[in-house]
Amino acid sequence: MTTVQSVQPPPTAMRPRVVARTGLYAVLAANVAVVGFFFTQAGFASNTLIVLGRLTGLYGALLMAFQLLLVARLPWLDRRIGMDRLTSWHRWTGFGILWTLLSHAVFITFGYAESSSLDPVNQLVDLAETVEGVLRAVVALGIILVVGAVSGRFARRRLAYETWHFIHLYTYVAVVLAFTHQVAAGTTFTSSSVAKTYWYGVWGVALASVFVGRLVLPLWRNWRHQLRVTAVVPEADNVVSIHMTGKDLDRMPAQAGQFFLWRFLTRDRWWQANPFSLSAAPDGRTLRLTAKAAGDGSAALRHVKVGTRVFAEGPYGAFTAMHRTRPESLLIAGGVGVTPIRALLEELHGHAVVIYRVATDRDAVLYDELRDLAHAKGAELYLVTGPVSPDKLAPEELVKLVPDVADRDVFLCGPPPMMNAVLGSLRELGVPKQQIHFERFSLAG
């Protein structure tokens, strides 16, 4: 197979994840400072609670704009940080928004109530009836409270992804309502045309990022490449590979280790999006995914017909050779987590050691390909089988297989319990954090 060679940075290069993370922090810090400047320029109210309410409202709205940037799936950020980490940051930012906007509502309501003869409930009703945009803000806060409730771990585990995602889309309604409330009623913006122009710019960039990253770019790429299924190959009783081809695939910016959100455009599956990694390095002519039947969606893949159109969102993920820091590598796969590992081995340069952990030999899907590829690349391959206990990837076992593990980049993919155990082993063996690369695949974080 002829692969499209990616450019791998030398081990001394500044790490892409550090560059992207620092850039995000710098953007957020700069906007925090600018918002604070415009807030002080507008002057302070005599009531301390009202001052706090206005300030928490401003920073809550700024967090909303930042949150949109985190989920815009912009390629530059996604390749350097990874969708899993961006989604995790988005989740925690969401709880920050919830608490700052709740504080805004409480401070404002009690602050105005302190200056009037009304109790807080009637004061809120009066503000909603008499002040432009306040009713919109109340509705926006209600939506955010509902979204926050269904995003908690207890509720999230009991909701189907499609249900959770549908409810989550109402956040965009809350965003529009909150923005129009602020520019209509916020003294920071009503007193300064410069501040209002700046605020329109911040929200314009945030919303444009979502529009481009989540809608325009996927539509453009699928129109350009027009993917179709060319083969459906059973790899085991519960594992299947889907081969695809399309137009101009040499121009698709996909790398080994990345994944797509795949939609197979049949009558009963077009609405389902499933995250599957590429199981072979992109060669400019074809793409391949390999999936285990872990649910109704993935189980139905073996029935996809040749010629079926495919809508693919991506490529996504930072589990790539871009992030290597050392000349040599260790690749650890568990179960069907071998798919991105097999693709990475095809693309990585330098000496590699591959450890493939499965319960039995029969579970080692793609093993023949992996063995032949390891032989061609001069890599060492170890198939580790057996029950979960005793742990055959415990620190003492791992160092027997790879004595120089602390001097290698480690790429890890597998079931969460295995990944957690191996991460613990790597920490115990003193492998630096920046040399450990992994990604947790979850649409909802």
Side-chain angles (χ1 to χ4, degrees):
M1 179 179 289
T2 303
T3 60
V4 177
Q5 295 297 323
S6 65
V7 178
Q8 298 184 32
T12 55
M14 189 172 183
R15 290 187 293 136
R17 183 172 289 120
V18 173
V19 173
R21 190 170 57 222
T22 302
L24 274 179
Y25 292 161
V27 167
L28 181 59
N31 281 281
V32 166
V34 172
V35 167
F37 171 76
F38 283 127
F39 176 75
T40 56
Q41 288 293 103
F44 298 102
S46 58
N47 187 305
T48 301
L49 289 176
I50 294 176
V51 173
L52 291 173
R54 290 173 178 171
L55 191 60
T56 52
L58 283 171
Y59 283 132
L62 182 62
L63 281 177
M64 289 179 77
F66 184 68
Q67 189 186 46
L68 291 175
L69 188 65
L70 292 177
V71 293
R73 296 181 184 169
L74 298 177
W76 191 88
L77 281 177
D78 184 81
R79 290 173 192 156
R80 287 158 177 79
I81 295 177
M83 186 190 290
D84 60 336
R85 289 173 176 84
L86 289 171
T87 302
S88 177
W89 296 354
H90 165 79
R91 181 174 183 272
W92 288 110
T93 302
F95 288 119
I97 291 169
L98 178 65
W99 289 111
T100 53
L101 294 187
L102 268 176
S103 299
H104 166 68
V106 170
F107 286 142
I108 287 291
T109 301
F110 277 82
Y112 278 100
E114 189 177 281
S115 304
S116 69
S117 58
L118 298 175
D119 61 85
V121 174
N122 285 318
Q123 181 63 67
L124 180 60
V125 172
D126 181 69
L127 288 172
E129 292 177 342
T130 60
V131 180
E132 182 184 0
V134 171
L135 181 58
R136 294 195 293 270
V138 172
V139 174
L141 181 59
I143 292 172
I144 290 170
L145 287 171
V146 171
V147 172
V150 301
S151 295
R153 292 190 184 278
F154 179 82
R156 180 64 195 93
R157 288 170 180 167
R158 287 158 177 78
L159 286 175
Y161 169 74
E162 289 77 14
T163 303
W164 173 88
H165 187 254
F166 180 77
I167 296 172
H168 213 71
L169 289 176
Y170 280 96
T171 303
Y172 293 107
V173 177
V175 164
V176 173
L177 293 173
F179 174 75
T180 57
H181 156 69
Q182 282 205 309
V183 295
T187 56
T188 300
F189 308 116
T190 57
S191 63
S192 170
S193 59
V194 176
K196 182 177 286 189
T197 300
Y198 156 76
W199 205 234
Y200 270 101
V202 167
W203 280 90
V205 169
L207 290 170
S209 297
V210 173
F211 181 70
V212 171
R214 302 293 291 267
L215 184 64
V216 174
L217 196 54
L219 288 175
W220 158 251
R221 283 181 175 166
N222 280 276
W223 176 83
R224 181 179 191 180
H225 299 300
Q226 299 183 32
L227 294 174
R228 287 186 182 274
V229 175
T230 57
V232 179
V233 181
E235 304 287 357
D237 292 342
N238 60 346
V239 180
V240 63
S241 288
I242 306 290
H243 298 250
M244 288 156 283
T245 190
K247 297 180 178 179
D248 299 325
L249 292 188
D250 57 320
R251 297 187 179 184
M252 179 178 280
Q255 293 179 266
Q258 290 190 301
F259 68 97
F260 289 77
L261 304 182
W262 306 93
R263 296 177 189 268
F264 294 90
L265 304 184
T266 60
R267 182 176 299 178
D268 59 339
R269 286 189 51 85
W270 65 268
W271 53 274
Q272 289 183 319
N274 296 102
F276 297 122
S277 297
L278 295 172
S279 58
D283 62 4
R285 302 184 307 277
T286 61
L287 297 176
R288 187 184 75 174
L289 69 88
T290 301
K292 182 178 181 180
D296 293 339
S298 52
L301 287 178
R302 66 177 58 248
H303 304 299
V304 171
K305 297 185 181 302
V306 172
T308 299
R309 287 289 303 273
V310 182
F311 189 93
E313 297 178 50
Y316 296 129
F319 191 65
T320 67
M322 173 189 286
H323 295 276
R324 72 182 187 93
T325 64
R326 311 291 293 182
E328 299 180 335
S329 55
L330 166 62
L331 292 79
I332 304 176
V336 79
V338 72
T339 57
I341 293 295
R342 182 252 180 255
L344 270 172
L345 178 61
E346 194 172 348
E347 191 171 278
L348 281 172
H349 305 312
H351 183 263
V353 177
V354 183
I355 300 176
Y356 190 5
R357 177 73 168 94
V358 288
T360 67
D361 291 351
R362 292 183 60 188
D363 298 316
V365 296
L366 303 181
Y367 179 73
D368 290 343
E369 287 187 24
L370 199 62
R371 181 193 57 214
D372 294 343
L373 186 57
H375 178 74
K377 301 274 291 188
E380 299 176 44
L381 173 62
Y382 298 98
L383 182 64
V384 178
T385 62
V388 173
S389 182
D391 184 5
K392 295 190 177 182
L393 294 181
E396 60 274 11
E397 300 297 329
L398 194 56
V399 79
K400 287 179 183 176
L401 296 176
V402 195
D404 61 345
V405 58
D407 296 323
R408 293 175 177 266
D409 274 315
V410 181
F411 292 86
L412 169 65
C413 187
M418 181 207 121
M419 288 179 63
N420 292 335
V422 173
L423 287 171
S425 295
L426 295 174
R427 284 193 295 268
E428 191 170 330
L429 291 172
V431 180
K433 185 177 180 180
Q434 66 269 20
Q435 292 172 214
I436 303 173
H437 315 285
F438 64 94
E439 208 156 31
R440 300 185 189 277
F441 301 96
S442 174
L443 289 177

